[in-house]
Amino acid sequence: MHRDDQVNGTARGTGRRALLGAAVLGAGGAVLGLPGTAGAAQARPAGHGGRGLGSLPVPTVIGHRGAAGYRPEHTFGSYELALDLGADVVEAGDLVPTRDGHLVCRHEPEIGGTTDVADHPEFAGRRTTKTLDGVPTTGWFTEDFTLAELKTLRAVERIPANRPHNTLYDGRWEIPTFEEVLRWQDEQTRKRGKQVFIYPETKHPTYFRALGLGLEERVAKALRRHGKDGRHAPVILQSFEPTSIQRLNRLVGNPLVVLLSSADSRPYDFVVSGDPRTVADLITPEGLREIAGYAQGIGPTLDLVIPKKADGTLGTPTTLVADAHEAGLVLHPYTMRNENPFLPAEFRKGDAPDGYGDAFGAFRTYFATGIDGVFTDNADTAVLARADFLDG
């Protein structure tokens, strides 16, 4: 860690907010926080050149678990394809630990749905039921495997009903470690001649800390070892648990983002500590100002930006974009997908679970709210939609 990142957490946070603010403002230095599409239009220019996040275009296209619309998620095949398709940032990856303390990239610690572990008779006895963030969950868990054991498994498509074409690639790639991702990032940066950004997430940090497998210290150690722990580092860190982000804020200088689920949900660290607040409390102006004290952005579900009506169509946009910008935060909502079941009802075409709807229309509607970027399983669609929006 750089010494000036250690000395004053408040000053460091302010500096990182300013850096992200440069990315949001873009070349024209437009003023944020204006409601509706007028404010959004002023914020559209690509980010200015220079170091760190200020070099990213706005809205930023973030490859969700890579190119999960086309390859099994959290594999190097998925990550590299996301870059090939034009993603500005790759979410590599969702970080969970092994029994021997290594960080690996899986959507969840339960790997029955994302690997071929069920086909390995030698691991049949590892199948168990655990309580994960208060929810009984049955399957195989990364913390019950050594890294060497996990490396004998191969990734498979998580939602084959929606993405049967992805099953063609089942078994092709192994589970990547965070160390491998950090080296891959450097290799891809050299190969492509431009800085590759990644966006890892600490998954279920309270759960793992109770098991003696704290995530944040392991993440910080890896980033320091690779010289990627400063405010200009091309690594954005995210978590659904605010205390995980607060802990990371004390350990590293990286840009930090608090993920936000549905308005009536409570972060699990709040549940454990007895904090009665819900996400609805966190997205008030007061709650956003508090988040801005230790993070530089939020990653809300798209429904917090534009709620859905009872029939599944989009309602009236909330004030979240303007309120977050007023607090100095960027917004990277999740997740845009092309398939019908994941789109607002008015953008669906038919009812085939693997059929594409009018994703371009949905992207245009969300971009018009003034969001600073979006997580998407289909980076190529997002890049085209962004071009249409900026040209319009």
Side-chain angles (χ1 to χ4, degrees):
M1 184 187 303
H2 300 297
R3 186 170 183 81
D4 60 338
D5 289 337
Q6 293 182 330
V7 174
N8 189 316
T10 302
R12 186 182 67 227
T14 302
R16 292 205 302 272
R17 282 198 297 279
L19 180 65
L20 278 127
V24 175
L25 291 173
V31 177
L32 295 174
L34 301 178
T37 56
Q42 293 184 53
R44 293 310 92 200
H48 61 69
R51 302 176 65 193
L53 293 174
S55 64
L56 293 173
V58 177
T60 306
V61 173
I62 304 159
H64 184 239
R65 306 174 197 162
Y70 311 109
R71 299 290 188 272
E73 63 193 32
H74 286 313
T75 61
F76 282 121
S78 183
Y79 296 159
E80 290 189 21
L81 183 59
L83 293 175
D84 292 343
L85 297 177
D88 306 307
V89 184
V90 180
E91 190 193 29
D94 291 335
L95 302 180
V96 292
T98 65
R99 187 173 69 195
D100 47 349
H102 297 276
L103 293 176
V104 296
C105 303
R106 287 291 85 193
H107 172 48
E108 291 287 343
E110 198 291 299
I111 56 174
T114 61
T115 74
D116 62 358
V117 64
D119 298 330
H120 286 251
E122 68 273 26
F123 297 136
R126 307 276 179 95
R127 190 172 188 268
T128 187
T129 299
K130 300 189 179 190
T131 301
L132 183 63
D133 289 4
V135 180
T137 305
T138 299
W140 292 262
F141 295 80
T142 58
E143 67 267 24
D144 295 332
F145 292 78
T146 65
L147 177 59
E149 290 172 330
L150 283 179
K151 282 294 188 179
T152 68
L153 307 180
R154 293 297 179 268
V156 301
E157 172 56 37
R158 184 176 62 88
I159 46 174
N162 302 110
R163 292 167 178 169
H165 50 285
N166 285 12
T167 62
L168 172 66
Y169 304 99
D170 284 358
R172 190 172 184 91
W173 291 289
E174 63 181 30
I175 298 172
T177 68
F178 188 41
E179 285 281 350
E180 289 169 343
V181 163
L182 291 170
R183 291 194 294 270
W184 168 87
Q185 179 185 23
D186 292 337
E187 292 165 0
Q188 292 297 312
T189 295
R190 288 192 296 269
K191 173 183 174 182
R192 296 171 189 269
K194 66 177 183 177
Q195 180 63 61
V196 168
F197 284 73
I198 61 172
Y199 212 138
E201 177 187 345
T202 57
K203 298 291 290 192
H204 305 286
T206 294
Y207 169 81
F208 283 118
R209 186 162 294 278
L211 297 178
L213 292 167
L215 299 179
E216 296 83 5
E217 294 82 2
R218 288 174 166 83
V219 170
K221 182 178 179 180
L223 292 175
R224 285 196 293 269
R225 185 158 50 241
H226 289 263
K228 299 179 181 181
D229 59 319
R231 65 190 184 112
H232 293 299
V235 182
I236 312 164
L237 301 173
Q238 56 177 330
S239 182
F240 279 101
E241 296 189 16
T243 56
S244 181
I245 295 299
Q246 291 167 0
R247 184 173 279 110
L248 286 167
N249 186 48
R250 295 190 292 269
L251 292 170
V252 295
N254 299 68
L256 304 174
V257 171
V258 176
L259 297 170
L260 300 167
S261 189
S262 61
D264 60 353
S265 66
R266 288 171 68 199
Y268 189 64
D269 52 339
F270 284 16
V271 174
V272 170
S273 68
D275 189 326
R277 291 178 298 169
T278 65
V279 167
D281 297 305
L282 296 181
I283 60 175
T284 63
E286 179 183 7
L288 292 167
R289 285 193 297 271
E290 179 183 325
I291 290 174
Y294 57 86
Q296 292 69 53
I298 58 172
T301 175
L302 285 164
D303 287 347
L304 293 178
V305 177
I306 309 180
K308 291 189 179 73
K309 294 184 280 190
D311 63 358
T313 61
L314 293 178
T316 302
T318 68
T319 62
L320 179 59
V321 173
D323 292 342
H325 286 165
E326 181 66 25
L329 296 166
V330 297
L331 294 89
H332 292 159
Y334 66 92
T335 305
M336 266 297 299
R337 300 177 169 100
N338 287 359
E339 294 90 1
N340 282 312
F342 307 114
L343 291 169
E346 67 266 45
F347 297 108
R348 297 172 190 162
K349 294 183 177 180
D351 55 8
D354 61 337
Y356 280 8
D358 178 17
F360 289 111
F363 271 114
R364 182 170 57 249
T365 302
Y366 288 120
F367 285 155
T369 65
I371 59 175
D372 305 301
V374 66
F375 287 83
T376 177
D377 289 1
N378 309 89
D380 53 340
T381 309
V383 168
L384 290 172
R386 175 176 63 190
D388 291 346
F389 180 71
L390 296 176
D391 290 344

